[in-house]
Amino acid sequence: MDATETPEITRTPPSARQRTVAPGPGLLHALGLTALLVSEWARRHARSAGESELALDPYLREVARTSADLADAGFYRFVADLFDTLCLGQPRLGLWAAVYVAIVVRLNRRGPHRLQNVLSRLAATYCLLGYLTLLPVLIPLDAGFFLLPGICAAAVWLVTR
């Protein structure tokens, strides 16, 4: 080899397992986990408050205002309708299932990698749709809107690394 020639660098393509647990799907899985946790918290919060408290609760008022604002956006309506269609009227159950599948696939190192990759991608897509659909519940959290996905991403990474 001459001084002017540079050696060829050959990259090996990532394996199916590496694509399954890649940061991209992991971030989307974390967004799904965030949406799931916040929606469950908001559901319990609304259920535990009485009717008079619900009318005065600033968080729930902000959720209603944000929901009304986003309902005017065409993109949000499209995503919400798509999510509702995909979840067959059971959005809570669907989000639980997507997060569960994502975690199980990320933990199972010995399973069929191609199938796991497909399941990981489907769960990631569903988690993203769930997160976008639940924006009215997430936006009023102020700093938590940015902090909670980071915490969930760290948890997903720590649990499934």
Side-chain angles (χ1 to χ4, degrees):
M1 178 174 357
D2 167 5
T4 60
E5 292 180 28
T6 58
E8 261 187 61
I9 299 175
T10 58
R11 283 188 182 197
T12 58
S15 70
R17 178 67 191 163
Q18 289 170 325
R19 288 189 306 268
T20 299
V21 296
L27 178 62
L28 297 179
H29 297 154
L31 291 178
L33 180 61
T34 302
L36 181 63
L37 293 175
V38 171
S39 68
E40 288 296 318
W41 172 80
R43 188 169 167 265
R44 290 179 199 260
H45 177 69
R47 201 172 4 147
S48 68
E51 272 189 48
S52 60
E53 293 171 0
L54 285 177
L56 299 174
D57 190 318
Y59 171 74
L60 294 176
R61 278 192 312 221
E62 187 66 23
V63 167
R65 189 184 67 73
T66 305
S67 184
D69 289 347
L70 285 175
D72 295 335
F75 174 74
Y76 178 76
R77 276 183 289 158
F78 172 74
V79 169
D81 289 344
L82 179 61
F83 183 70
D84 193 41
T85 301
L86 290 175
C87 70
L88 304 172
Q90 297 292 330
R92 185 170 167 245
L93 179 64
L95 199 52
W96 270 103
V99 170
Y100 180 75
V101 165
I103 298 295
V104 167
V105 164
R106 293 179 73 83
L107 285 172
N108 185 4
R109 296 181 189 279
R110 302 203 193 291
H113 297 305
R114 286 195 175 116
L115 175 63
Q116 287 185 335
N117 189 17
V118 169
L119 287 173
S120 176
R121 302 282 174 177
L122 288 173
T125 303
Y126 195 84
C127 285
L128 177 63
L129 287 174
Y131 182 81
L132 292 174
T133 301
L134 289 170
L135 280 176
V137 178
L138 295 162
I139 289 174
L141 295 175
D142 297 327
F145 179 73
F146 299 103
L147 188 61
L148 283 174
I151 292 170
C152 287
V156 166
W157 179 77
L158 281 172
V159 169
T160 63
R161 62 184 170 131

